[in-house]
Amino acid sequence: MDLAQGVQTVSFIILTIMMFSAALGVVLLRNIVYSAFLLGAVFVSISGLYLLLNAEFVAASQILVYVGAVNVLILFAIMLVNKREAFPATSRNILRSGATALVCIGLFTLLGTMAISTPWSMADQSGVVVEGSVIKIGKHFFSDFLLPFELASVMLLITMVGAIILARRDLIPEEEAADLRETDTYQLQERPRELISVGDNQSEE
Amino acid sequence: MELQLEYFLILAAGLFCIGIYGLVTSRNAVRVLMSVELLLNAVNLNLIGFSSFIDPVEIKGQVFSVFVIIVAAAESAVGLAIVLAIYRNRNTVDMEQFNLLKW
């Protein structure tokens, strides 16, 4: 085993441990702010695994898109709905999570045995001279994947408009807006919509 | 010990199962979205592994994974907007209380 292979193996093991512990922390920790930061750790270690797999462009875009955009967006959402609430207990909570864990372990066993037992048709990596993956991906994007590439940009535009429309507050004009203006306190000229609660409807009717 | 395709596949399977567990059991809606991101990352890891070991010349798996990243970014933006809208209407992020569409 030469030096490069040893470095690869050691970094693979370190990244694996990092990724699994951070992912378990995302799912199991009580405080959701810690989960959001651990999600960033998961993304960074997955980007390291991409580097081990000779995918520099995807590793860079993983850092840019996931750590830079998605994780920050999740943190913003956590800050916007920041309400420490104790969720009301449901019945048979332990049974539910136990059954889910059992199903997940079974799925992992199934996928693991499938991955090991299938004879994958490996390409021989010996004589292959690979040009940079950035050049290769660029050629793919502008030749045989041109239509999905353009559609992706249209989809991002639609997503932006849709997210703004969904997250916008409904403007409800206040009747007492005139006398509010005379006080010193600044208030938004809008308020959230009246709460809809299912349980109260039946008592009103 | 040389790096094999199977290691990466098992890694992705483990990440996928953790994501499924979080998706089913968590009560907070934002944590559900975080679990969905874990699932998409597991799929991406599979795609990159296959493209590196089986198709190292025409790396089409990496192209696919870039598209998955694009869709995941769009999904998280719309999903978090929906979470904010639900929070304004119901004043909670508990998944058990989002039962307006329940029969």
Side-chain angles (χ1 to χ4, degrees):
Chain A
M1 185 160 77
D2 55 351
L3 183 65
Q5 242 175 46
V7 170
Q8 272 190 2
T9 310
V10 169
S11 46
F12 177 79
I13 292 168
I14 290 173
L15 286 171
T16 305
I17 294 169
M18 223 173 101
M19 193 195 77
F20 270 125
S21 46
L24 283 174
V26 168
V27 172
L28 297 177
L29 279 186
R30 310 295 301 173
N31 193 340
I32 194 162
V33 182
Y34 294 163
S35 314
F37 281 111
L38 282 177
L39 191 68
V42 175
F43 292 154
V44 170
S45 45
I46 286 177
S47 142
L49 288 171
Y50 291 165
L51 282 181
L52 280 182
L53 285 166
N54 301 318
E56 312 96 42
F57 178 73
V58 188
S61 49
Q62 167 96 4
I63 293 277
L64 280 176
V65 174
Y66 274 111
V67 184
V70 171
N71 207 5
V72 173
L73 199 66
I74 286 176
L75 276 172
F76 264 101
I78 290 171
M79 301 303 167
L80 282 174
V81 296
N82 191 10
K83 182 179 163 195
R84 294 192 177 273
E85 53 181 327
F87 296 132
T90 51
S91 58
R92 296 187 300 254
N93 215 345
I94 298 172
L95 184 67
R96 287 186 191 192
S97 43
T100 314
L102 211 65
V103 169
C104 287
I105 290 169
L107 185 64
F108 177 69
T109 319
L110 183 70
L111 288 174
T113 46
M114 190 274 300
I116 290 172
S117 64
T118 309
W120 304 105
S121 62
M122 298 283 186
D124 55 334
Q125 311 234 2
S126 52
V128 179
V129 181
V130 185
E131 61 179 328
S133 70
V134 182
I135 300 168
K136 205 83 185 173
I137 290 175
K139 279 178 185 169
H140 276 304
F141 271 155
F142 286 99
S143 59
D144 46 351
F145 287 97
L146 183 61
L147 181 64
F149 184 65
E150 300 292 341
L151 281 181
S153 60
V154 175
M155 190 202 67
L156 283 178
L157 182 68
I158 295 171
T159 304
M160 193 175 73
V161 176
I164 289 171
I165 286 177
L166 278 175
R168 192 183 54 177
R169 282 168 189 268
D170 289 324
L171 195 69
I172 300 173
E174 301 262 2
E175 291 85 5
E176 60 268 24
D179 49 40
L180 274 181
R181 214 167 284 143
E182 292 162 5
T183 61
D184 290 339
T185 55
Y186 290 100
Q187 278 196 333
L188 282 176
Q189 292 291 310
E190 58 191 29
R191 58 187 164 81
R193 191 185 299 175
E194 292 298 320
L195 297 183
I196 304 168
S197 54
V198 175
D200 296 343
N201 284 351
Q202 290 146 359
S203 58
E204 285 168 10
E205 284 165 2
Chain B
M1 183 180 105
E2 199 177 343
L3 288 187
Q4 304 283 330
L5 174 61
E6 285 84 358
Y7 302 157
F8 289 96
L9 292 186
I10 290 170
L11 203 65
L15 192 62
F16 192 83
C17 293
I18 292 174
I20 290 272
Y21 180 79
L23 188 72
V24 175
T25 56
S26 40
R27 302 280 299 273
N28 197 327
V30 181
R31 201 190 295 263
V32 171
L33 284 174
M34 284 155 58
S35 306
V36 173
E37 299 295 330
L38 286 185
L39 294 183
L40 288 166
N41 268 289
V43 172
N44 260 348
L45 196 56
N46 258 347
L47 282 174
I48 303 266
F50 281 126
S51 97
S52 168
F53 281 96
I54 291 182
D55 183 23
V57 182
E58 298 271 322
I59 38 175
K60 286 190 176 168
Q62 297 192 20
V63 181
F64 272 83
S65 71
V66 171
F67 284 124
V68 173
I69 287 177
I70 294 172
V71 173
E75 173 262 345
S76 73
V78 173
L80 290 170
I82 289 174
V83 168
L84 280 185
I86 293 177
Y87 177 70
R88 292 222 186 89
N89 276 326
R90 307 301 305 265
N91 205 14
T92 181
V93 284
D94 187 4
M95 293 297 283
E96 297 283 334
Q97 296 180 27
F98 297 160
N99 50 8
L100 271 178
L101 290 180
K102 211 171 172 183
W103 63 90

